[in-house]
Amino acid sequence: MNFRSFAAALAATVAMPFSAAQATDLEVTHWWTSGGEAAAVAELAKAFDATGNKWVDGAIAGSGGTARPIMISRITGGDPMGATQFNHGRQAEELAEAGLMKDLTAVAEKEGWKDIIKPASLLESCTIDGKIYCAPVNIHSWQWLWLSNAAFEQAGVAVPANWDEFVAAAPALEAKGIIPLAVGGQPWQSAGAFDVLMVAIAGKETFEKVFKDKDADVAAGPEIAKVFKAADDARRMSKGSNVQDWNQATNLVITGKAGGQIMGDWAQGEFALAGQVAGQDYTCLPGLGVNEIISTGGDAFYFPVINDEAKSAAQDVLAATLVAPATQVAFNLKKGSLPVRGDVDLAAANDCMKKGLDILAKGNVIQGTDQLLSADSQKQKEDLFSEFFANPSMTVEDAQKRFADIIASAD
């Protein structure tokens, strides 16, 4: 399929109902500011601009934890943007329930989203009381270990095939002045790493008992104790990272200053921007090479209610454009994520993306914790693991008890 031709045809299709006079600027806020992320966002902007409207970029530096309060404050304060990024899940739930988010049900029905968006949980996360409030744009999975082939070559050990081999190789890396595991200082990074370790070590059933069923007894039990032991290994291996942002930690791997990083598949965008080739310069291990299961988290765009006919019409155009086949291909190839629709051609995908597509096709998936926990419970979890990774004196026993308490009160 010629996707440039498809994009042109799509642009003509979605722009047709609106005259040039109705075309308008639309501010879009998001937190995609790393090099790889910016390249991906440019594809979304290009697709929307092709409809005759204009994407006004409202990037907010920092992570989602930094950006979301700003976005929410603007929406609740009467200064809404045209569209805004949130993660799949419950982050915009209260805004939608308060009537501050636009109902996209008509757009979704016209575009046939229920038939094409896979897995169905993505659209379900957008649905409240039967109405659809967001347009999913990607599937991001957290469950990856990214390894620097050069770092292990310098250390004189083979590139690990799984988490246990990685832990065993840590002393050899340290002997060469290489940080075994890069972890940035943002709380969501350490919390995410723990979630990845849980799926790999304790398995899907235990993960879902804890985060989906909110089973505090399981959270306090022996299977999760094994996960905390692994988290303690990760804490020890990450000593000396001394970076804040996730992409700075990824850069430590890219430059061979760190052996590896537990990070979502969005890290691929940084490797691609640096000109590195999967399987040659770096190795990716889904499920840490232990348990090949990926989460179907990711990103969606919500559209605040705006009392402006032209902008409201442009919101519908943008929603349709984001899910369109050509946009899905161009964006996700740059972002390192998987498309939300299974009817697109990803022949250009690299080895790591193909691994993710294969796991997705097999149905070896879980929902991300953003989909399973409220924003408040997620924040409590992030605070705990931020402290755990930063404070070596916190015992695994104390940390597990606090974790079980969080799960006991989670919603």
Side-chain angles (χ1 to χ4, degrees):
M1 182 183 294
N2 185 325
F3 285 106
R4 289 188 178 180
S5 298
F6 192 98
L10 171 73
T13 301
V14 297
M16 195 178 303
F18 311 105
S19 69
Q22 288 176 299
T24 187
D25 294 354
L26 207 61
E27 182 192 8
V28 184
T29 56
H30 59 86
W31 57 80
W32 288 325
T33 56
S34 76
E37 290 173 329
V41 171
E43 296 294 340
L44 299 182
K46 182 167 65 176
F48 183 57
D49 289 353
T51 69
N53 295 285
K54 182 172 178 56
W55 174 293
V56 178
D57 201 71
I60 299 173
S63 66
T66 301
R68 279 190 298 273
I70 297 172
M71 297 165 173
I72 293 170
S73 178
R74 283 191 53 185
I75 295 167
T76 57
D79 181 29
M81 61 294 290
T84 188
Q85 171 198 8
F86 285 106
N87 294 123
H88 296 318
R90 300 171 60 182
Q91 293 174 353
E93 187 175 62
E94 292 182 358
L95 295 172
E97 290 174 342
L100 296 173
M101 289 298 185
K102 182 175 183 177
D103 178 2
L104 298 177
T105 306
V107 177
E109 290 177 348
K110 179 182 178 182
E111 300 295 323
W113 286 0
K114 286 188 177 180
D115 296 323
I116 60 175
I117 292 178
K118 306 294 180 183
S121 60
L122 299 178
L123 202 57
E124 288 168 2
S125 290
C126 292
T127 305
I128 300 173
D129 295 331
K131 296 179 180 179
I132 295 171
Y133 287 94
C134 68
V137 292
N138 61 11
I139 300 170
H140 263 318
S141 52
W142 244 108
Q143 292 72 27
W144 297 83
L145 177 60
W146 307 94
L147 301 170
S148 165
N149 291 357
F152 288 96
E153 182 179 355
Q154 184 180 343
V157 293
V159 176
N162 55 53
W163 175 256
D164 287 342
E165 291 183 9
F166 181 45
V167 175
L173 292 168
E174 291 171 330
K176 292 294 184 178
I178 299 170
I179 303 163
L181 181 66
V183 178
Q186 295 161 323
W188 64 268
Q189 295 183 56
S190 49
F194 179 84
D195 295 346
V196 173
L197 288 165
M198 187 189 296
V199 178
I201 294 167
K204 177 180 179 179
E205 184 178 347
T206 298
F207 179 91
E208 291 185 337
K209 282 182 179 178
V210 172
F211 291 124
K212 187 175 184 178
D213 300 336
K214 316 295 190 295
D215 192 324
D217 290 336
V218 173
E223 289 304 309
I224 301 303
K226 295 176 185 176
V227 180
F228 270 93
K229 169 61 173 65
D232 190 38
D233 289 335
R235 174 171 63 175
R236 172 179 51 79
M237 292 164 64
S238 66
K239 183 180 179 181
S241 290
N242 295 328
V243 293
Q244 184 72 9
D245 295 339
W246 71 268
N247 54 304
Q248 293 173 323
T250 305
N251 189 59
L252 292 176
V253 180
I254 290 171
T255 56
K257 295 176 182 177
Q261 179 190 25
I262 297 174
M263 186 50 60
D265 54 8
W266 50 89
Q268 290 188 88
E270 302 305 301
F271 285 103
L273 196 66
Q276 296 213 337
V277 178
Q280 177 178 311
D281 300 304
Y282 66 96
T283 296
C284 57
L285 298 180
L288 309 187
V290 178
N291 201 344
E292 291 194 350
I293 293 173
I294 61 173
S295 56
T296 53
D299 304 284
F301 279 88
Y302 288 76
F303 299 80
V305 172
I306 297 179
N307 187 25
D308 182 305
E309 185 177 349
K311 290 189 184 298
S312 182
Q315 288 176 320
D316 290 348
V317 174
L318 177 55
T321 302
L322 292 172
V323 183
T327 313
Q328 282 287 298
V329 171
F331 170 73
N332 285 295
L333 285 177
K334 291 284 179 68
K335 191 70 167 64
S337 47
L338 304 180
V340 298
R341 49 191 300 162
D343 59 348
V344 295
D345 182 3
L346 283 175
N350 67 21
D351 288 346
C352 294
M353 185 179 286
K354 286 176 180 176
K355 288 181 182 179
L357 288 167
D358 182 58
I359 295 169
L360 185 65
K362 292 175 181 176
N364 295 340
V365 300
I366 55 172
Q367 288 181 285
T369 55
D370 279 327
Q371 294 169 283
L372 299 173
L373 297 176
S374 69
D376 180 63
S377 297
Q378 187 81 334
K379 178 65 165 56
Q380 291 178 51
K381 180 166 68 75
E382 290 179 356
D383 289 345
L384 168 61
F385 287 105
S386 177
E387 184 180 349
F388 178 77
F389 271 77
N391 181 10
S393 67
M394 181 186 288
T395 67
V396 293
E397 292 80 12
D398 287 344
Q400 185 176 2
K401 184 180 184 304
R402 284 180 55 181
F403 178 67
D405 289 342
I406 291 170
I407 296 304
S409 61
D411 58 357

